[in-house]
């Protein structure tokens, strides 16, 4: 599992967590199977290709809301692989 989140007190104006094809390629090389990103705080570059590559390699992508700032669980998105309900 790979988890991509912002650090506490990270200034998101200048330093935003991001994932993309390179992330998926790195996960394939280490046989990773789940990519968890912080909902609303992580950029996904080339989203369509990134998701397609993840699907091709059987990598699940989920997003998780930060429980420290928002204790409510995520609701399922209309698009698959967008949110995870704990």
């Amino acid at each position: 599992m790979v988890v991509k989140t912002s650090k506490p007190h990270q200034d998101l104006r200048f330093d935003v967590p991001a994932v993309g094809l390179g992330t998926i390629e790195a996960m394939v090389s280490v046989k990773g199977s789940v990519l968890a990103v912080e909902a609303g705080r992580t950029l996904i570059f080339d989203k369509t290709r990134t998701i397609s590559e993840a699907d091709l390699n059987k990598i699940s992508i989920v997003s998780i809301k930060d429980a420290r700032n928002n204790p409510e669980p995520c609701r399922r998105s209309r698009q698959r692989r967008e949110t995870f309900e704990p």
Side-chain angles (χ1 to χ4, degrees):
M1 175 182 274
V2 172
V3 179
K4 190 75 170 188
T5 66
S6 58
K7 298 176 187 123
H9 310 294
Q10 183 170 341
D11 189 343
L12 296 176
R13 295 176 298 172
F14 306 107
D15 187 14
V16 180
V19 297
L21 288 171
T23 307
I24 300 302
E25 290 168 0
M27 290 184 69
V28 169
S29 72
V30 297
K31 297 182 174 65
S33 61
V34 178
L35 173 60
V37 298
E38 189 175 5
R41 292 178 171 238
T42 307
L43 297 176
I44 301 178
F45 289 104
D46 201 353
K47 185 176 177 179
T48 302
R49 278 189 64 204
T50 298
I51 291 172
S52 293
E53 193 67 22
D55 285 344
L56 181 67
N57 289 284
K58 297 184 179 9
I59 296 172
S60 297
I61 299 173
V62 297
S63 65
I64 302 170
K65 284 190 178 178
D66 182 354
R68 296 170 295 178
N69 296 326
N70 187 351
E72 305 239 349
C74 292
R75 292 208 167 100
R76 289 196 188 277
S77 171
R78 291 175 200 202
Q79 294 180 346
R80 67 188 176 112
R81 297 180 181 255
E82 289 297 316
T83 58
F84 172 73
E85 293 186 43

